[in-house]
Every structure is written in C-alpha cells, then in structure tokens.
Amino acid sequence: MKKINVLIVCIVLSFQAFAQTPTKQNKFTISGFVRDSASGEMLIGTAVIVKELESTGASTNAYGFYSITIPEGNYSIATQLIGYKSKLYKVELKQNVKLDIKLSENASQLSEVTVTSEKKDENITKTQMGVEQLDVKQINSIPVLFGEKDILKTIQLLPGIQSAGDGNSGFYVRGGGADQNLILLDEAPVYNASHLLGFFSVFNSDAIKDVTVYKGGMPSQYGGRLSSVLDIKMNDGNDQKFHVSAGIGLISSRASIEGPIKKGKGSFIISGRRTYADLFLKLSRDSALRQAKLYFYDINVKANYQIDSINRIFLSGYFGKDVLGFGNTFNINWGNITGTLRWNHLFSEKLFSNTSLIVSNYYDNIGLSFGTSGFGIVSLIQDYGLKEDFSYFLNSANTLKFGLASTYHQIAPGQLTSDVNAKIKTLTLTNTFSWENAVYISHTYKPSPLFSIEYGLRFSMFSVLGPGLFYNYNPVTGQTIDSTNYNSGQIVKTYLNPEPRLAANHSLNKVSSIKASYARNIQNIHLLNNSTSQNPTDEWLPSTNYVKPEVSDQFSLGYFRNFKDNKFEFSTEVYYKIVQNVLDYKDNAQLEFNQNVQSQLLFGQGRAYGAEFFLKKKYGRLNGWIGYTLSKAEQQISGINNGNWYLSPQDRTHDISVVVIYQLAKKWTLSSTFVFYTGSPVTFPSGKYEEGNQVLYYYTERNGYRMPPYNRLDIGLTWQRKKTEHFESSWSFSIYNVYDRMNAYTITFQPNPNNPSETQAVQTSLFGIIPSISYNFKF
C-alpha cells in the first residue's frame, strides 16, 4: 500500500509540473459543490462557466463537485443545467475561493426535455462520444409496458441500443450480447437487471437520480465488459424536508420516504415497489391458482452525511427478489443484493477522492416436486470489491483521473439436492474463485476552445484461483486432455491486459464538431445463455486456464451539429468493433448442470459495424427524437457453420425509434413512441426425417434465418392534476401496442394435425394491446 501511495503522489506531481507553465499572473482556484436548493441533492453534470473566459469552465462530477483554476481577476460565474434556473455570481479572485451553489428547478423546462445533455451545446463541446445522460425526472411521459416507468426500456429507444425482445428489459449495444453490458447501481455491479423473466427492470425510477450510458469509447475508470457501461446513481434524499411519494398502478405500487438526518448535513431515502398479481390469483375459484405465486419486490435505501467541509460518507443498498410458484409443485425465486459504502474526501480545492467498498450478490433457487419426491437447485455469484478514484483538476486545460479497483469473485454455478425418494442424485458443480484487479489513469487536455483530447490507459489483471480441479480440453472434440488439482488460494492462471483509451473532439465552429475515439475492453466474466433473453438459471463462468478473456477493439467517428440556437441536435456516428476469443456453443450443447461445461464451448472471432443517426428536438411544446441504426454483427468460429462467418444472435440490420412528446396544455402532456426493427437471426430446421416413427428436424446453417420484423406504436397521456408547495398528484394513462400487432416471440415447428406429412410453423406472441393507468402523488 505504501508503494501505491508513493506512485500516486509521483503521478500527481509529474502532471502538475507538466501543467504549470511560467507566467507572471497569479492563478487561483474556484471550487465547490452544486446542489438542488429544495432537496439538497448533488447535481451531476452542471456546467459552471466563467463568462469572461468563453472557453473556460467545468462540469460537476458524480458527486456534484467542480474546480476551475484561472488567473487573478474579477469574474462572472454562471451555471447551466437543463431543468434548472441559471445563476450568476460575481467573484473577486485574489485567493482560492470556495463557492457552493444551490439551483432551483425551472418547471417550464422540466416538461419539455426527455433526454438531456448537461448544457445546451454540451453535445458539441464535450470530448466523449457515444454517451447519453438521462434525467429520470424527465422520462415520466414515455409510455411503456404496463405503464411502469422503466429506465432500461427507455434507453432502448436510443440509436445503437436494441431491445432483446418484445417487452423485454434486456438490451444489446452495437452488436454485443446482454452480458457484455456493465450495469452499475451506485458503483455495485448488477448481474441480472430483470424482474419477471425480463419484462421489468430492477430499477425503481423513484429511487434513481441519474443514468449515463456509454456505447463506446468508455473512460478509463470503467472496465470489465465489452459493449457498454450503464452507470446509475441513486437519489441521496432530501436534506431539507420530509417527503412521501407513492404511485398506484394496475400491476404494481410503489412508495418512497425521504428526509433529513440533520438538516443541511445529511439525508436518507427508502423506496420500495411490489407487484400484486398473486393477490388477484387468490380470488380465483381454482384452488391451484389460489396457491400460485407471482410477484416481485425491490427496496432501495440510501443515507449520506457531511462530516465536515471536506468529508462526506454515503451508504446505499438494493434488495430485490422475484417469486414464481405453483403450489408445492414448482417454485423459483431469484434476486439481487448490492451494497456500497463510499467516502468522499477533498485533499485540496483541486484534488477530489472517492473510496468505495462494494458488495454484490445474485442468487437463484429452484424447487420441483413430483408426487413423493422432489429436488432443489441453488446457484449464486458474489462480488466483494474496493475502488479508489481520484480527480485532479490541474487547471482549466488539464484534468487528471486515476485510481485502482480490486474485486474478488465467487461463483457457485449450481447445487442440485434431492430427497431420499428422488431418482435424481445430489450433484454439486465446482465453485469458482477469481481475483480481478485494475489500475487506470486518464488525462483530459483542452489546449484551445476548438480542440480537446482525453487519453488514458487501464491495466487489468485477472487471476484464476483454487481450490479445484482444472481441465484442459481438445478444442475440436471437447475431450479432456489432462487435469491439475489446485489448493485454496493458489493462482491457476493470471491474464494481464493493457486497455488503451482515446477520445478527441475538434469543433468546426460554435454549432458543429467532429469526434473520434478508440477503446480496448477486456471481459473476464461470461454468461452461458443460448436464448434471446437472460434467465435466472443462466450460468456465469469466469475466464479459466481454458477459457480466455474476450477482447474488443472499437473505433468510432462522429459528426455533431446543432440548429436553431441549440433547440435541435443532429449526430451521426460510425463504428467498427473487432472481438477476440468470442465464445459460442457446439451444436446440441449441454449447458445445464454439466461439470465439464467448458468442453461444450468453441472460440473464435467476431466483428460488428454500423452507422447511427440521431435527430433530437430539446425545447418547446413539441419535442422528442428520431433514431436510426444500420448495423451488422457476425462471428467466425471453427466448428460452427463450416468455419464460415455467420450472424450473431444480436444482429439487427435496421432499427428505428421515434419518440414524440407534446404539451397539450399546462397540465396535459401527450406522448407517443414507435419502434421498428429487423427480426433477430435464428436457427430454423432446413429439413426433416423419420426415425423410429418419430419426426426429427435437420439443421444446417447457424442463425441462417430471421424472425419476422417487429413494429409497435405506444401512446401515453399524463394529467398533472394538482401541484402546490405541499402536495402534488398526477394521473398517467397509456396504451401499449395501439394497433394490436401480434409480434412473434417464438416460432416452433410441428406436424400439421390435418396433414401429418406437412410441417407447420407455430408463432407465439406475448403482448397485444395493453391499456394501463396509474395514480401518483407526493406530499
């Protein structure tokens, strides 16, 4: 640890020496925190601008902190954050100044914007590309399935991000699988972000403050997944007044309570949600249905306290669970538990640090009963982590970020237990243990108002640990070559990988810019899943002595243009991604409860490329966006499809989304979404034959067919019934799938009952037209 601290000090001093240039003018720093004046919430992404120095300013970080170093003088400091009134401060800068800022909401803007950047021209000036920030307060009007506000389904309406299926909260980003998305809730990883087999996400919007999604060119502080990062921050709670808010819908209800621990110093929030389909089942005349279980719940808790002017602590947690059951015959429950303890510390007006202790636990439990016998299956994945992040604001042109992360993974892939009468024997798959570490550093440099660059390096180390018996397999036949036994704590294999990152922005003028980025990402935790959606029984597998880390290199280029005083934004991005060590399954692979499941895997290469177009109107009574993605994703693996390239399950040629929000009157808001996308690649039978009076199907090309194209129109209406200082209420009405299109969820093949010599395709559709209504209030 002493060596690490010395290294950090050396890095800071070296960059400080680089950033300091001889000058006759004294320079001082303006720094502080930006908060919501009514609730005390730290405001992320607020632009703090020096009016006299047009190109000089800063944006608040994830904890609301900013720092600006400029020459001595008199200045006007302005703020910009969509949804909030701008403020102007006069500052006489003769020494370092601490300027804490409180902003008030601008109610007229809150109803006009759905997806926002931090300030009006942030999409032009910021260095990063392929990133969008969503303000949860501003997505309430978008109609979704069952009327539930859903973050994951909202981001699916952005270009480059596709839905995993009808009504599904799972998503694909730029040709990557669902497991290639790093989902963070207050820095804790969430391994299964879905309720009810994917139809709801685990994120209760009432408990969420900020959502940022990175589709490419991720900053160096993120790692562990190939395709994207979804960084979600929970509300801190109101440190001024106690508030209660709730919502009652057709399928679920939710409630939140928040208030000060000590006014102006600390706050808490507790938010809960539960579905109640099981309560209606108890009204059934069928005794079996009355015993059925079908519900989920989630609870978000968070507290924070400001110890003094330079120290603040946060404690947050999430507890969620799904329960499905049919009497004593079948029961399955699964859930997530996460916890984060964080300490913010200011070493100086320029050096900010965040230390986090993180725990994440995902589990599933299945019970089956047949007459007098039964058995159960239990599996889990647990993470214990430590993160140390530093932000060093050297001056107006240079910002340095660096830190380290360490995570211990324990995966129990499955334990099958049976009673004495069961024919199935007890079986326990070998637990896996691994230790993932990373150090990173990045430098953002803005030498002129027209150019900025962010470059960095993340260096990851992944160690496979004992105990256990580790096998080597023939990559073609899957047969065991040899095996080695390791004791507890022994290092079996260590993978060392550098992950360079680069992003650059060149402003052509005040309304347009071009950007480029490159990022290498490493993934060491893999999901074994051969279906289109994530299931609670899916098995996670770490890299081993046999399974190598997946490696992706993504190149992106984009053009960004604003119109009509930044009311309209247009962007187009093209990308090309190369993936090494991509894994897929052998034909007829056996994944469930296979001690040698690695023998069922094959490895090769993948590639994904495409173009994304985005047109967004941000202000006015009518606003929304149109997104279009043209893309292709494919793989080449020896042993599959005769070694030829074949389409990845996530391939979507065309994907179109249209979102329109129109403020009919002061209290009425009308909204609508339309989506269309090409059907996903699937493997259908190419022929059939008979064996022993049984019809068997013959399969040839992997993913050689497609599901039918998907399209759907939704509409919604929000009525702000009452809003005063002490009470507000609203009604939300929505219709999912207005024209009742029966989109295909699955297609199966079976003999035609009227003519057994013919084969018929049978389509299963899940959702037709679904109306919803909910009532929301806060006091």
Side-chain angles (χ1 to χ4, degrees), residues 18-85:
F18 166 77
Q20 290 176 342
T21 56
T23 177
K24 295 181 180 179
Q25 261 187 315
N26 293 324
K27 289 189 176 183
F28 298 103
T29 300
I30 304 171
S31 63
F33 293 87
V34 180
R35 294 179 172 88
D36 184 299
S37 61
S39 67
E41 286 274 357
M42 297 294 184
L43 296 178
I44 302 171
T46 305
V48 183
I49 302 168
V50 183
K51 301 276 289 184
E52 289 78 6
L53 306 173
E54 186 177 348
S55 63
T56 301
S59 293
T60 56
N61 66 8
Y63 300 94
F65 179 76
Y66 74 95
S67 176
I68 307 171
T69 300
I70 51 179
E72 179 181 358
N74 296 323
Y75 297 102
S76 302
I77 307 299
T79 63
Q80 285 186 11
L81 181 64
I82 292 179
Y84 285 84
K85 297 176 182 177

Side-chain angles (χ1 to χ4, degrees), residues 165-167 675-679 707-712 736 741 743-744:
D166 192 11
V675 295
F676 169 90
Y677 54 77
T678 305
M707 297 289 282
Y710 180 98
N711 64 85
R712 189 189 77 245
Y736 181 90
R741 177 178 168 83
N743 288 295

Side-chain angles (χ1 to χ4, degrees), residues 148 206 245-249 252-256 272 276 774-777:
E148 287 288 310
D206 291 348
S245 60
I248 302 172
S252 71
S253 291
R254 61 192 189 279
S256 300
Y276 32 69
S774 62
Y775 174 67
N776 308 286
F777 62 90

Side-chain angles (χ1 to χ4, degrees), residues 647-649 651 679-687 698-708 749:
L647 296 177
S648 303
D651 178 75
S680 300
V682 290
T683 304
F684 285 152
S686 301
Y698 177 68
Y699 297 86
T700 54
E701 186 178 0
R702 178 77 65 94
N703 293 341
Y705 299 86
R706 285 191 183 274
M707 297 289 282
F749 294 84

Side-chain angles (χ1 to χ4, degrees), residues 89-156:
Y89 295 86
K90 298 292 185 180
V91 174
E92 185 179 0
L93 194 61
K94 294 183 177 180
Q95 59 185 4
N96 292 335
V97 173
K98 189 174 189 298
L99 179 62
D100 290 332
I101 299 171
K102 293 185 177 181
L103 301 181
S104 302
E105 288 187 352
N106 186 335
S108 63
Q109 286 190 30
L110 283 176
S111 62
E112 295 176 349
V113 187
T114 304
V115 178
T116 75
S117 297
E118 293 84 347
K119 60 179 182 178
K120 291 183 178 181
D121 64 345
E122 184 74 12
N123 63 312
I124 301 297
T125 60
K126 67 183 177 184
T127 309
Q128 290 288 335
M129 61 186 298
V131 57
E132 287 287 352
Q133 183 179 1
L134 288 79
D135 187 334
V136 179
K137 294 179 182 179
Q138 300 163 345
I139 66 172
N140 296 350
S141 300
I142 297 179
V144 291
L145 180 64
F146 300 124
E148 287 288 310
K149 294 180 292 184
D150 198 308
I151 293 168
L152 297 189
K153 291 176 184 174
T154 301
I155 68 170
Q156 293 171 10

Side-chain angles (χ1 to χ4, degrees), residues 194-263:
S194 299
H195 282 308
L196 290 184
L197 303 177
F199 299 123
F200 296 88
S201 79
V202 300
F203 304 114
N204 179 359
S205 296
D206 291 348
I208 304 303
K209 172 170 63 176
D210 181 82
V211 180
T212 303
V213 57
Y214 298 88
K215 298 181 292 185
M218 284 80 82
S220 299
Q221 63 263 36
Y222 297 109
R225 298 294 187 274
L226 299 186
S227 293
S228 75
V229 176
L230 182 62
D231 194 353
I232 301 172
K233 306 294 185 186
M234 290 171 52
N235 284 323
D236 296 328
N238 194 310
D239 68 1
Q240 300 296 314
K241 299 178 181 179
F242 285 94
H243 283 288
V244 175
S245 60
I248 302 172
L250 294 179
I251 195 170
S252 71
S253 291
R254 61 192 189 279
S256 300
I257 181 171
E258 58 182 320
I261 296 174
K262 184 178 181 181
K263 190 172 182 179

Side-chain angles (χ1 to χ4, degrees), residues 187-478:
E187 301 184 29
V190 178
Y191 281 93
N192 188 341
S194 299
H195 282 308
L196 290 184
L197 303 177
F199 299 123
F200 296 88
S201 79
V202 300
F203 304 114
N204 179 359
S205 296
D206 291 348
I208 304 303
K209 172 170 63 176
D210 181 82
V211 180
T212 303
V213 57
Y214 298 88
K215 298 181 292 185
M218 284 80 82
S220 299
Q221 63 263 36
Y222 297 109
R225 298 294 187 274
L226 299 186
S227 293
S228 75
V229 176
L230 182 62
D231 194 353
I232 301 172
K233 306 294 185 186
M234 290 171 52
N235 284 323
D236 296 328
N238 194 310
D239 68 1
Q240 300 296 314
K241 299 178 181 179
F242 285 94
H243 283 288
V244 175
S245 60
I248 302 172
L250 294 179
I251 195 170
S252 71
S253 291
R254 61 192 189 279
S256 300
I257 181 171
E258 58 182 320
I261 296 174
K262 184 178 181 181
K263 190 172 182 179
K265 296 280 287 184
S267 60
F268 75 93
I269 181 171
I270 302 173
S271 186
R273 176 178 59 159
R274 190 192 191 277
T275 58
Y276 32 69
D278 57 314
L279 302 181
F280 294 109
L281 294 176
K282 294 185 183 299
L283 304 176
S284 173
R285 297 180 180 179
D286 189 325
S287 59
L289 285 178
R290 289 200 299 270
Q291 298 180 49
K293 301 174 183 178
L294 176 62
Y295 68 89
F296 71 78
Y297 70 82
D298 41 41
I299 300 171
N300 296 79
V301 296
K302 189 172 183 179
N304 73 93
Y305 189 79
Q306 185 175 344
I307 300 171
D308 52 36
S309 61
I310 62 172
N311 292 286
R312 193 179 192 98
I313 57 172
F314 300 79
L315 178 63
S316 58
Y318 168 82
F319 310 88
K321 186 177 182 179
D322 283 73
V323 177
L324 300 177
F326 195 75
N328 296 321
T329 303
F330 170 77
N331 286 280
I332 177 172
N333 61 80
W334 69 93
N336 293 277
I337 299 172
T338 71
T340 309
L341 175 62
R342 286 172 293 169
W343 169 41
N344 286 177
H345 177 69
L346 281 175
F347 287 95
S348 70
E349 64 280 351
K350 292 185 178 184
L351 182 59
F352 177 93
S353 75
N354 175 67
T355 306
S356 300
L357 296 175
I358 302 163
V359 61
S360 176
N361 182 10
Y362 170 69
Y363 65 90
D364 66 79
N365 192 337
I366 301 173
L368 295 173
S369 178
F370 303 97
T372 59
S373 64
F375 65 90
I377 302 172
V378 179
S379 62
L380 59 86
I381 176 170
Q382 293 178 330
D383 283 358
Y384 301 94
L386 166 68
K387 284 185 63 182
E388 184 70 60
D389 299 300
F390 294 89
S391 298
Y392 190 56
F393 304 91
L394 292 92
N395 53 43
S396 59
N398 295 273
T399 301
L400 178 68
K401 294 183 179 180
F402 54 95
L404 56 89
S406 182
T407 303
Y408 178 76
H409 303 284
Q410 177 181 351
I411 301 176
Q415 180 181 32
L416 189 152
T417 57
S418 59
D419 56 36
V420 294
N421 298 319
K423 296 181 179 180
I424 301 175
K425 296 182 179 180
T426 298
L427 174 65
T428 301
L429 300 180
T430 303
N431 291 356
T432 62
F433 305 88
S434 53
W435 188 22
E436 190 169 15
N437 295 281
V439 293
Y440 75 89
I441 185 169
S442 69
H443 178 211
T444 302
Y445 180 48
K446 191 171 184 178
S448 76
L450 300 179
F451 181 76
S452 62
I453 185 171
E454 180 177 335
Y455 58 94
L457 177 67
R458 182 181 183 90
F459 191 82
S460 61
M461 298 155 282
F462 187 88
S463 297
V464 184
L465 304 177
L469 194 62
F470 291 81
Y471 297 89
N472 283 311
Y473 302 94
N474 184 305
V476 178
T477 65

